[in-house]
Amino acid sequence: GAVVSQHPSRVICKSGTSVKIECRSLDFQATTMFWYRQFPKQSLMLMATSNEGSKATYEQGVEKDKFLINHASLTLSTLTVTSAHPEDSSFYICSATPPGQGDYEQYFGPGTRLTVT
Amino acid sequence: AQSVSQHNHHVILSEAASLELGCNYSYGGTVNLFWYVQYPGQHLQLLLKYFSGDPLVKGIKGFEAEFIKSKFSFNLRKPSVQWSDTAEYFCAVGPYSGNTPLVFGKGTRLSVIA
């Protein structure tokens, strides 16, 4: 099946710094990728839809200036958490659907655990 | 707007017991339905999916789910659970067409005890 990778898997940063998380589709091209956030023992909440070559679409309540998304190529989307604060500590997960997949099954990356101290 | 409701927050079962996890969705159109599993410390994995056709869907590891359109339900079942089934289970719904994000239920934590 299709493979989506994320890097890094874990990151610890100090409050006020920025962190970049990469999401790659390894064996397919993805014009659209999705970024989710998962708090401990909670479900996945969609943060934004990343579109190759255009601006991301953010969900209500997600600060676009804080969570910068860049989808510069058909296999890479990045999420940058700017001026991170402890409340941004969470598990960030990306997903994508291979083109031509009729049932639109999404393939998920392994996630990135961000801890802001 | 779409929504997904998972009735059970935490289920505790003994090994060999039967499992049924409830999932109901709210959406006006035709949907794709998914069950994902997240083992401790691991990423989401697809258990099974319903796209069209036979409403009884068989997935990996002995899991199955039945789509009942009239009840807007997609309950997950397994006749005999194992300790290794201990995980978080998420039901998700996506529109029938279009590359759009999934809407997830809040998840059900399954703990299987020996």
Side-chain angles (χ1 to χ4, degrees):
Chain A
V3 178
V4 175
S5 71
Q6 281 184 242
H7 177 79
S9 57
R10 291 177 181 268
V11 58
I12 301 173
C13 70
K14 292 186 176 180
S15 186
T17 62
S18 295
V19 173
K20 180 184 285 188
I21 302 170
E22 294 184 346
C23 175
R24 292 181 186 272
S25 55
L26 296 186
D27 49 2
F28 65 96
Q29 294 183 330
T31 55
T32 303
M33 291 183 173
F34 304 105
W35 285 97
Y36 295 85
R37 183 174 180 177
Q38 185 181 27
F39 288 104
K41 300 182 180 181
Q42 295 188 30
S43 187
L44 282 76
M45 298 298 295
L46 179 69
M47 297 177 66
T49 301
S50 172
N51 303 298
E52 189 269 336
S54 65
K55 291 182 179 180
T57 305
Y58 291 82
E59 294 301 297
Q60 192 173 10
V62 177
E63 299 175 60
K64 58 182 68 177
D65 294 331
K66 181 168 187 61
F67 298 98
L68 299 179
I69 291 174
N70 185 305
H71 196 148
S73 78
L74 288 171
T75 59
L76 173 64
S77 174
T78 60
L79 168 68
T80 301
V81 183
T82 62
S83 186
H85 291 287
E87 57 265 30
D88 298 324
S89 298
S90 189
F91 196 51
Y92 293 88
I93 305 171
C94 70
S95 72
T97 297
Q101 178 119 6
D103 57 8
Y104 299 100
E105 176 187 341
Q106 291 188 20
Y107 293 84
F108 287 84
T112 297
R113 185 163 303 283
L114 169 63
T115 303
V116 185
T117 60
Chain B
Q2 300 173 65
S3 66
V4 178
S5 175
Q6 290 184 242
H7 316 301
N8 314 101
H9 178 64
H10 188 190
V11 173
I12 302 173
L13 293 174
S14 299
E15 278 193 310
S18 64
L19 168 73
E20 181 160 4
L21 301 182
C23 172
N24 286 89
Y25 67 92
S26 171
Y27 182 66
T30 307
V31 295
N32 294 327
L33 297 157
F34 306 85
W35 274 98
Y36 285 89
V37 62
Q38 189 175 33
Y39 296 103
Q42 297 189 28
H43 64 281
L44 284 169
Q45 300 174 39
L46 181 70
L47 269 181
L48 48 79
K49 60 186 176 184
Y50 173 78
F51 176 52
S52 64
D54 189 344
L56 184 61
V57 179
K58 293 192 183 299
I60 61 171
K61 305 186 180 186
F63 286 91
E64 65 178 31
E66 185 175 12
F67 170 51
I68 302 179
K69 188 175 181 179
S70 60
K71 296 184 178 180
F72 296 89
S73 69
F74 190 55
N75 292 354
L76 180 71
R77 299 194 292 250
K78 185 170 183 178
S80 177
V81 295
Q82 302 172 319
W83 178 82
S84 57
D85 293 325
T86 295
E88 191 87 20
Y89 292 82
F90 295 97
C91 181
V93 174
Y96 188 75
S97 62
N99 190 6
T100 54
L102 298 181
V103 176
F104 283 84
K106 291 189 174 182
T108 297
R109 190 192 317 169
L110 172 65
S111 299
V112 180
I113 56 178

